[in-house]
Amino acid sequence: MNSRRLTFVLVRTGVFLVVGLVLFTVIGWSPFAATAVVLIAAAMAVQLGGVVWLRRTERAPAERVESHRTGSND
């Protein structure tokens, strides 16, 4: 999976979170609703970490190739 696909999944999860918050606010909160919102928010946090990590790893090989071409030893 690349960072673009994971970003799409992250946005989709965010939409589910917003819908859940609105729905549970309208119909009332239950222990199950609170648990669902917490789990969705935790999933978003993990996905955000994955997006950041994937973007760094996708960018790193290009930076290594560029540093080898210029001959810099940073």
Side-chain angles (χ1 to χ4, degrees):
M1 180 176 280
N2 59 16
S3 64
R4 191 171 184 173
R5 284 187 181 183
L6 190 55
T7 302
F8 175 75
V9 172
L10 176 65
V11 170
R12 186 178 65 184
T13 305
V15 169
F16 284 130
L17 180 65
V18 170
V19 168
L21 286 171
V22 169
L23 181 65
F24 295 136
T25 301
V26 170
I27 66 171
W29 286 89
S30 70
F32 298 113
T35 303
V37 168
V38 168
L39 288 175
I40 292 173
M44 282 188 65
V46 171
Q47 291 168 0
L48 181 61
V51 168
V52 170
W53 180 75
L54 279 172
R55 286 190 180 171
R56 286 183 182 174
T57 57
E58 288 172 351
R59 187 177 45 186
E63 290 175 354
R64 280 191 222 125
V65 168
E66 187 62 34
S67 68
H68 287 293
R69 287 182 187 162
T70 59
S72 67
N73 293 326
D74 297 357

